[in-house]
């Protein structure tokens, strides 16, 4: 009777203790108490799912014996000091791996005990370490990149630039660049292009001229990638110095022009010989019969000289350096000039060049000599592909806001597996030649905002299609003022 009364009296306390045990076992936090030497005097039941040890297995053991060697000094110092604040350390599980614990302490029931409240923060620490590793990797990539890389604001102000960028800009320290604007290093002629790229808020690629601090000029390809840095919308900027590349391309164009002139030598010599023969004959007639039909003879001689002058003039357009400024030109006139120049060479190969168009004129903004260079190269390739002669048809048409030029031959054609390689440096369908000409042609057309497409059927012929934007009449109405940042 007395036993039952005692059980009933203590039943609520027993239930409370049971509830507390369940709570401690399921708690995400691990509660333990220790003597100053680190020995466990108590370990909450949550130690078993957390570490694999039961409370009994930890009791009397030192927490220092479970601590990672690299964290041991800090933990011992924490216990020997006032043990205020928080401490993070690694605790070895029964399976041998370690968990990161973040612990805070308080005094136990007796002043000789330390109570630790610990939380498993392994996932958080791993995430932080992974983030730091990515940041270290990204910084190494930025610092050792051969290209200029940096961060600019939406208005173009530098907030970060790597070592290569400092060299490109000609600066002696980063402080000279950070806080300045990209406009400060951009050729004023490219302000408008730069502003449009910054205003789009999208990824963009463009080409500008940079002015270094020593006033030296560099040609650069710029890539802007929108991103977020320190809660600000910014651009990751990548700048590639292509100054030497452009010089090499210019040298290749000059070399290609000389090659074109050399290949046309036989046809030109034949074309010039004919009028020279006529001039020589009529000059002899004039010397023998100065008074008879002198006016008619003189007119024929002048016509033949004009013909020679036209041929030589077209050759000079190819041979001499030309200004890179765009001008308004009629595509049909350009094609006619090239066809007249190449007809002698075509005749020697039993080929005939025919022009077909359904419009009197199509105007484009271009560098006429370079467009002629492209046409000469393509038509020459057609002539060389037709070993037994045939017709080369050049059609000119306008499709919406594009001018289309097609060169169609009746040559041997190109296998389909080789079409995609056309225009690659040092790849050729010919036994001799590097086809640098096609590579240069593609570059010239691309610089004019157009494109070249190839289609071919073996033993039937090849068609090359050039498309170029037609002249924008609105640009003549009013010049756009230069942008001033």
């Amino acid at each position: 009777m007395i036993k039952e009364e005692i059980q009933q009296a203590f039943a609520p306390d027993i239930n409370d203790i049971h509830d507390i045990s369940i709570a401690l076992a399921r708690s995400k936090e691990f509660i333990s108490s220790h003597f100053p030497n680190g020995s466990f005097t108590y370990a909450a039941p949550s130690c078993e799912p957390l570490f694999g040890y039961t409370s009994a297995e930890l009791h009397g053991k030192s927490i220092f014996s479970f601590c990672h060697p690299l964290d041991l000094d800090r933990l011992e110092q924490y216990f020997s000091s006032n043990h205020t604040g928080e401490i993070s350390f690694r605790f070895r599980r029964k399976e041998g791996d370690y968990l990161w614990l973040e612990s805070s302490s308080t005094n136990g029931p007796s002043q000789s005990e330390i109570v630790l409240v610990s939380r498993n923060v392994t996932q958080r620490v791993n995430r932080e370490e992974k983030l730091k590793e990515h940041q270290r990797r990204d910084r190494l990539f930025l610092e050792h990149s051969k290209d200029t890389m940096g961060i600019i604001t939406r208005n173009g102000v530098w907030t970060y630039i790597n070592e290569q960028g400092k060299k490109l800009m000609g600066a002696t320290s980063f402080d000279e660049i950070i806080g300045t604007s990209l406009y400060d290093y951009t050729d004023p002629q490219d302000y408008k292009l730069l502003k449009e790229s910054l205003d789009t808020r999208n990824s963009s690629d463009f080409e500008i001229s940079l002015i270094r601090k020593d006033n030296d000029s560099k040609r650069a390809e710029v890539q802007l990638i929108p991103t977020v840095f320190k809660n600000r919308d910014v651009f990751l900027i990548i700048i590639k110095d292509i100054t030497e590349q452009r010089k090499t391309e210019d040298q290749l164009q000059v070399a290609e022009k000389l090659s074109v002139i050399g290949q046309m030598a036989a046809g030109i010599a034949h074309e010039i010989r004919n009028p020279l023969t006529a001039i020589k004959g009529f000059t002899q007639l004039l010397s023998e019969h100065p008074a008879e039909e002198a006016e008619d003879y003189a007119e024929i001689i002048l016509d033949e000289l004009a013909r020679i002058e036209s041929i030589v003039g077209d050759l000079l357009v190819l041979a001499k350096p030309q200004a890179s400024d765009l001008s308004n030109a009629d595509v049909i006139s350009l094609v006619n000039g090239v066809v007249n120049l190449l007809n002698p060479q075509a005749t020697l190969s039993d080929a005939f060049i025919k022009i077909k168009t359904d419009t009197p004129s199509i105007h484009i903004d271009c560098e006429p000599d370079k467009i002629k260079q492209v046409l000469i190269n393509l038509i020459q390739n057609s002539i060389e592909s037709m070993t037994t002669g045939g017709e080369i048809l050049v059609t000119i048409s306008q499709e919406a806001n594009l001018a289309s030029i097609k060169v169609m031959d009746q040559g041997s054609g190109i296998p389909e597996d080789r079409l995609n390689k056309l225009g690659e440096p040092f790849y050729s369908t010919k036994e001799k030649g590097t086809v640098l000409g096609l590579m240069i042609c593609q570059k010239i057309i691309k610089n004019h905002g157009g494109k070249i497409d190839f289609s071919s059927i073996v033993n039937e012929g090849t068609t090359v299609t050039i498309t170029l934007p037609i002249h924008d009449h609105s640009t003549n109405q009013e010049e756009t003022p230069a942008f001033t940042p």
Side-chain angles (χ1 to χ4, degrees):
M1 184 70 178
I2 297 174
K3 184 178 179 181
E4 291 177 359
E5 290 177 356
I6 293 173
Q7 287 178 342
Q8 290 176 1
F10 283 94
D13 293 336
I14 293 172
N15 290 334
D16 289 345
I17 292 172
H18 179 69
D19 292 342
I20 291 172
S21 297
I22 293 175
L24 290 174
R26 296 179 179 177
S27 174
K28 292 183 179 180
E29 294 182 336
F30 169 59
I31 300 175
S32 60
S33 62
H34 307 263
F35 287 130
N37 65 0
S39 298
F40 279 95
T41 59
Y42 172 77
S46 59
C47 63
E48 188 167 2
L50 195 59
F51 306 121
Y53 300 106
T54 63
S55 300
E57 288 176 308
L58 291 179
H59 191 271
K61 302 284 181 61
S62 173
I63 191 173
F64 301 139
S65 62
F66 297 92
C67 182
H68 193 284
L70 294 179
D71 304 327
L72 184 58
D73 288 343
R74 285 191 299 107
L75 188 60
E76 288 178 342
Q77 196 173 32
Y78 185 79
F79 266 74
S80 61
S81 65
N82 294 328
H83 43 266
T84 57
E86 295 183 343
I87 183 172
S88 296
F89 63 96
R90 282 162 284 189
F91 191 98
R92 188 181 69 253
R93 298 175 70 243
K94 195 170 187 177
E95 294 182 356
D97 58 326
Y98 285 87
L99 293 180
W100 273 100
L101 297 182
E102 186 176 77
S103 304
S104 59
S105 66
T106 183
N107 291 327
S110 66
Q111 294 299 320
S112 61
E113 283 185 297
I114 302 169
V115 175
L116 289 181
V117 179
S118 305
R119 176 180 288 270
N120 179 13
V121 292
T122 305
Q123 289 186 348
R124 190 193 74 191
V125 172
N126 287 341
R127 283 197 301 269
E128 291 173 353
E129 285 296 322
K130 191 173 183 179
L131 178 61
K132 288 178 182 178
E133 180 61 31
H134 286 170
Q135 290 174 341
R136 285 193 293 268
R137 183 193 62 194
D138 293 344
R139 182 167 290 276
L140 281 173
F141 174 72
L142 289 172
E143 291 299 332
H144 294 87
S145 174
K146 293 183 178 180
D147 295 331
T148 293
M149 302 186 75
I151 296 174
I152 60 174
T153 67
R154 292 293 189 173
N155 295 321
V157 177
W158 289 98
T159 60
Y160 169 81
I161 191 169
N162 66 352
E163 180 69 24
Q164 191 64 30
K166 186 184 74 172
K167 294 178 181 178
L168 178 64
M169 301 303 178
T172 56
S173 69
F174 295 107
D175 292 338
E176 293 182 52
I177 301 175
I178 303 303
T180 63
S181 173
L182 182 56
Y183 287 102
D184 297 335
Y185 305 93
T186 303
D187 190 309
Q189 293 182 348
D190 295 323
Y191 280 171
K192 181 181 177 183
L193 175 60
L194 177 58
K195 185 177 186 301
E196 289 173 352
S197 301
L198 290 172
D199 288 345
T200 58
R201 307 302 196 217
N202 297 318
S203 295
S204 58
D205 299 274
F206 53 95
E207 193 174 309
I208 60 174
S209 291
L210 294 176
I211 308 299
R212 288 162 41 96
K213 283 190 171 292
D214 56 7
N215 291 323
D216 188 19
S217 179
K218 295 286 186 180
R219 196 65 184 167
E221 281 184 351
V222 180
Q223 183 179 11
L224 294 179
I225 304 171
T227 186
V228 176
F229 180 69
K230 293 184 178 179
N231 297 322
R232 293 181 62 190
D233 290 332
V234 296
F235 283 110
L236 172 65
I237 182 171
I238 303 172
I239 303 177
K240 184 177 181 180
D241 183 358
I242 58 171
T243 307
E244 294 303 318
Q245 178 183 331
R246 288 291 175 263
K247 288 181 180 178
T248 301
E249 289 175 356
D250 291 341
Q251 291 170 355
L252 281 174
Q253 288 191 21
V254 172
E256 179 63 22
K257 288 179 181 180
L258 295 176
S259 174
V260 167
I261 292 173
Q263 293 177 28
M264 292 192 304
I268 296 299
H270 177 77
E271 184 71 5
I272 291 179
R273 186 183 293 117
N274 289 336
L276 283 177
T277 301
I279 291 170
K280 181 179 179 181
F282 284 107
T283 302
Q284 289 175 341
L285 288 175
L286 278 174
S287 62
E288 294 173 2
H289 308 284
E292 298 177 11
E293 301 181 0
E295 186 176 342
D296 293 337
Y297 293 163
E299 186 177 346
I300 294 173
I301 292 172
L302 288 173
D303 287 343
E304 296 301 326
L305 286 172
R307 186 178 175 189
I308 293 174
E309 183 182 22
S310 174
I311 294 171
V312 173
D314 286 334
L315 282 174
L316 288 176
V317 165
L318 291 175
K320 69 181 181 180
Q322 300 288 319
S324 59
D325 293 334
L326 299 180
S327 61
N328 186 307
D330 180 13
V331 174
I332 296 176
S333 297
L334 291 177
V335 173
N336 279 323
V338 170
V339 170
N340 290 336
L341 186 64
L342 292 178
N343 260 328
Q345 185 180 351
T347 301
L348 291 177
S349 301
D350 293 327
F352 174 71
I353 308 173
K354 181 180 178 181
I355 301 175
K356 181 181 178 182
T357 180
D358 56 0
T359 181
S361 65
I362 304 175
H363 288 269
I364 62 173
D365 292 318
C366 67
E367 296 177 60
D369 65 302
K370 291 187 176 180
I371 299 300
K372 282 186 177 182
Q373 181 181 348
V374 171
L375 293 171
I376 288 172
N377 189 291
L378 296 177
I379 295 175
Q380 269 195 328
N381 285 345
S382 294
I383 293 173
E384 292 173 4
S385 71
M386 299 193 303
T387 54
T388 58
E391 181 183 89
I392 299 171
L393 177 62
V394 182
T395 64
I396 310 164
S397 61
Q398 180 175 337
E399 301 171 4
N401 60 341
L402 294 174
S404 174
I405 306 170
K406 289 186 179 181
V407 179
M408 296 173 280
D409 62 49
Q410 299 172 340
S412 56
I414 304 169
E416 186 175 353
D417 60 334
R418 297 188 181 183
L419 275 177
N420 292 333
K421 295 185 178 181
L422 290 180
E424 293 182 5
F426 309 113
Y427 176 81
S428 176
T429 57
K430 306 174 186 177
E431 292 183 4
K432 296 180 181 180
T434 61
V435 195
L436 285 173
L438 284 182
M439 182 189 75
I440 292 171
C441 287
Q442 287 182 328
K443 184 64 178 177
I444 290 173
I445 297 301
K446 181 180 177 182
N447 288 345
H448 281 78
K451 65 176 183 176
I452 299 182
D453 293 315
F454 299 88
S455 62
S456 186
I457 300 176
V458 176
N459 297 326
E460 290 190 21
T462 301
T463 300
V464 184
T465 304
I466 302 172
T467 53
L468 292 163
I470 63 171
H471 171 67
D472 185 3
H473 294 282
S474 63
T475 57
N476 291 337
Q477 304 297 324
E478 183 179 350
E479 283 293 321
T480 303
F483 173 77
T484 303

